[in-house]
Amino acid sequence: FANANRHLLAKFKMAPNSQPVGTSRVGMTTRAAAKQRSMQAFAHEPGCKCTWIDQVDKEAFAKEVKDLGKELLAGQGEEDERHLNKIINWAHACTAIGIGLMSVLPWWSMVPALLLSLGITARWTMVAHHTCHGGYDTVGNGNKGGRFNSRRFALGSVWRRLFDWMDWMMPEAWNAEHNMLHHHHTNELIDPDLPQRNFTYLREIDLPYKAKVAIVYVMAAVWKWLYYSPNTYKVIAWRKHRKSVIAKSNDRDAEEKRLNDVESKAMAKQLTILGILTGEAPEWYSSTSLIFTVMLPNLLFRLAVVAIPYAAADLYMSSSGAGVSFPMFKNALITLAIADVLANLHSFLIVVPNHAGDDMYFFKNSCEGMGPNFYIRQIVASVNFRTGGDLNDFLHGWLNYQIEHHAWPRLSMLSYQRAQPRLKAICEKHGVPYVQHSVWTRLQKTVDNAVGATSMINTCEGAF
């Protein structure tokens, strides 16, 4: 995995013509040189909205953020493990109660479907998300290389997916797309989850505003299997192709350089199920593998766990197998379909608005990895929803701490609750924008951004 990402990590080295913090200049100490670079005036483009950066001591800000992250990581322990288990129990309870209620409530009551959808979303955005990032690698079971270790959770086999996290996305593919590309390139052109770029066709098409909004909500109802599943798998497919091409090349260095240039375009081009069916997939993308390896296991899993048992119950409750109309089975199938739509809508609501809106920053270039600019970018390119309280955070999928999560991806859910007021205070102290609104306010901003009514803030290249 590390070897496959060497070419990505190389992009985070200090840009040409910049000076690493550890060096010195004539007539000043290393610390003074770093501070001067941090506070130096910048020639901003006319009308830009990032002049506030001129007043920020980048080095001091980054140090406080890093130190807080280290403190939080060191403080994780048994309490974080208990909290994780609590959230898992909540997710399991939603699923179990939802399945049980299907025997007494019709699909149109929506209650079983709503509970099932909460379980689906919780297992992804809370349990899998933070575990796959390594949030529990240092505590309890995860610290011993057990189930909740990021190097094991849901990886390596269909069995682990069944046991840990089964969804429309392959865990290995989601880890590569989300943990590497999205987190290291947030709101850059290479970011696969850049909403403004992904909605380009909708922003440019000549349709009334309300028609475009309707399209956004239709897509939100199916976005995980329509868009997210094929796009996360694209990263894995590309890496397999890349590895194969380099292995066959007589000049591996030259071939690797060529592929580095091709990769940015390959990762920026979005694929959907509709596009794949109409032949838009590149030649190195296996549509067959997407269907049978990535998506079909999730469909069969849901049918086996929820619908098929009700078919067996229909047969059992009938005096004979002949003429059975399978009422509970049909009710279960419809409920499953509604639950999937609700899970898509819920996850779209709490995922996509995290980095979209007319107050979010867009970056034309990359920056040095884990330096002051990196931390500033992660914070001003992310947004929080209302925070505080396990029930509130559960309903938000724990994505209401997106700023804290992007500053320190490898922390537990409980650590983000502890960190939020402290990071907000650090940002206020240094004059770094810290955006927090209700999820409904952010949804409206995201929709306006998606349909072309508003645009993200273009950051002056080189400002940070």
Side-chain angles (χ1 to χ4, degrees):
F1 185 79
N3 290 334
N5 288 292
R6 282 187 298 110
H7 62 287
L8 286 177
L9 298 177
K11 296 178 182 179
F12 299 110
K13 293 180 179 178
M14 189 69 70
N17 302 321
S18 63
Q19 185 173 351
V21 173
T23 61
S24 61
R25 294 179 179 177
V26 177
M28 63 177 71
T29 65
T30 301
R31 184 181 299 274
K35 186 169 183 178
Q36 177 173 318
R37 289 194 303 275
S38 177
M39 297 290 289
Q40 64 185 348
F42 179 82
H44 293 274
E45 299 171 7
C48 84
K49 296 182 179 180
C50 56
T51 54
W52 53 266
I53 193 66
D54 295 338
Q55 306 304 317
V56 177
D57 185 336
K58 296 181 183 179
E59 300 292 340
F61 174 75
K63 183 179 186 306
E64 286 198 48
V65 174
K66 287 181 181 180
D67 289 347
L68 177 55
K70 292 176 182 178
E71 176 189 332
L72 292 163
L73 182 62
Q76 293 189 168
E78 293 182 0
E79 188 178 0
D80 298 84
E81 183 181 23
R82 287 194 298 270
H83 183 263
L84 171 63
N85 290 328
K86 172 184 175 180
I87 299 303
I88 292 173
N89 289 336
W90 284 13
H92 288 343
C94 288
T95 300
I97 296 172
I99 293 174
L101 287 178
M102 282 194 292
S103 64
V104 295
L105 293 177
W107 61 265
W108 45 262
S109 73
M110 301 297 287
V111 175
L114 180 60
L115 288 169
L116 287 175
S117 72
L118 282 173
I120 292 169
T121 301
R123 281 188 291 274
W124 172 30
T125 65
M126 285 171 270
V127 181
H129 183 201
H130 297 95
T131 300
C132 291
H133 267 294
Y136 298 94
D137 282 1
T138 61
V139 301
N141 180 278
N143 191 35
K144 302 172 184 176
R147 178 186 176 190
F148 296 104
N149 186 281
S150 61
R151 296 180 181 273
R152 182 183 181 189
F153 186 84
L155 303 177
S157 68
V158 175
W159 166 248
R160 291 248 49 100
R161 286 183 70 185
L162 287 170
F163 188 65
D164 294 332
W165 172 43
M166 179 62 74
D167 211 320
W168 292 115
M169 300 81 71
M170 176 183 283
E172 291 89 345
W174 187 76
N175 286 348
E177 189 266 7
H178 177 81
N179 295 3
M180 290 299 301
L181 286 177
H182 170 62
H183 268 267
H184 287 296
H185 294 281
T186 306
N187 282 9
E188 298 174 9
L189 281 174
I190 198 175
D191 181 0
D193 298 331
L194 180 62
Q196 181 168 285
R197 192 266 326 283
N198 293 346
F199 279 106
T200 297
Y201 75 97
L202 188 58
R203 290 170 58 85
E204 296 178 350
I205 194 172
D206 185 17
L207 284 175
Y209 173 83
K210 290 184 178 180
K212 289 186 176 184
V213 171
I215 292 174
V216 172
Y217 285 118
V218 170
M219 292 185 61
V222 295
W223 79 290
K224 284 171 69 178
W225 58 263
L226 177 72
Y227 157 80
Y228 215 27
S229 180
N231 272 281
T232 52
Y233 183 68
K234 177 185 65 179
V235 179
I236 292 292
W238 166 257
R239 287 180 178 176
K240 290 180 179 178
H241 170 71
R242 176 191 177 89
K243 183 177 180 181
S244 174
V245 170
I246 292 176
K248 296 176 182 177
S249 176
N250 293 325
D251 188 346
R252 296 190 176 186
D253 290 338
E255 189 64 30
E256 186 168 358
K257 182 178 180 181
R258 182 187 72 82
L259 290 173
N260 285 345
D261 296 332
V262 173
E263 180 172 285
S264 295
K265 294 181 180 180
M267 293 301 102
K269 180 176 175 57
Q270 304 307 301
L271 289 175
T272 67
I273 290 294
L274 297 178
I276 290 172
L277 294 177
T278 56
E280 292 183 8
E283 51 88 17
W284 44 264
Y285 192 98
S286 173
S287 302
T288 302
S289 294
L290 171 69
I291 299 299
F292 289 97
T293 304
V294 180
M295 303 183 73
L296 186 60
N298 184 51
L299 177 61
L300 295 178
F301 170 73
R302 294 186 183 182
L303 290 174
V305 171
V306 180
I308 293 178
Y310 276 109
D314 282 326
L315 288 171
Y316 177 78
M317 296 177 67
S318 174
S319 57
S320 67
V324 179
S325 60
F326 295 100
M328 289 195 292
F329 176 66
K330 293 177 182 177
N331 185 62
L333 284 180
I334 297 173
T335 301
L336 269 178
I338 296 173
D340 188 69
V341 170
L342 292 176
N344 273 278
L345 290 171
H346 186 194
S347 58
F348 185 94
L349 171 67
I350 59 179
V351 171
V352 180
N354 281 146
H355 305 284
D358 59 359
D359 51 359
M360 289 288 97
Y361 286 80
F362 164 72
F363 308 103
K364 304 171 187 176
N365 63 323
S366 295
C367 67
E368 72 274 16
M370 306 311 292
N373 286 340
F374 180 81
Y375 282 102
I376 294 172
R377 285 186 175 207
Q378 295 301 314
I379 290 169
V380 302
S382 305
V383 61
N384 277 12
F385 310 138
R386 185 168 67 90
T387 56
D390 280 355
L391 180 58
N392 171 74
D393 296 344
F394 184 86
L395 294 176
H396 283 88
W398 237 270
L399 299 178
N400 47 338
Y401 296 94
Q402 194 69 189
I403 295 175
E404 289 71 29
H405 174 60
H406 268 257
W408 316 288
R410 298 190 64 188
L411 291 181
S412 69
M413 289 181 280
L414 195 57
S415 286
Y416 293 132
Q417 287 183 333
R418 301 172 181 134
Q420 190 272 329
R422 299 178 65 183
L423 180 58
K424 184 176 183 179
I426 292 174
C427 291
E428 291 175 349
K429 172 184 174 182
H430 289 273
V432 174
Y434 184 101
V435 181
Q436 184 173 20
H437 296 125
S438 79
V439 69
W440 305 110
T441 298
R442 298 313 307 183
L443 175 63
Q444 184 59 57
K445 284 181 172 289
T446 299
V447 171
D448 284 343
N449 190 212
V451 303
T454 63
S455 296
M456 301 171 69
I457 300 172
N458 284 318
T459 308
C460 296
E461 189 168 351
F464 59 93

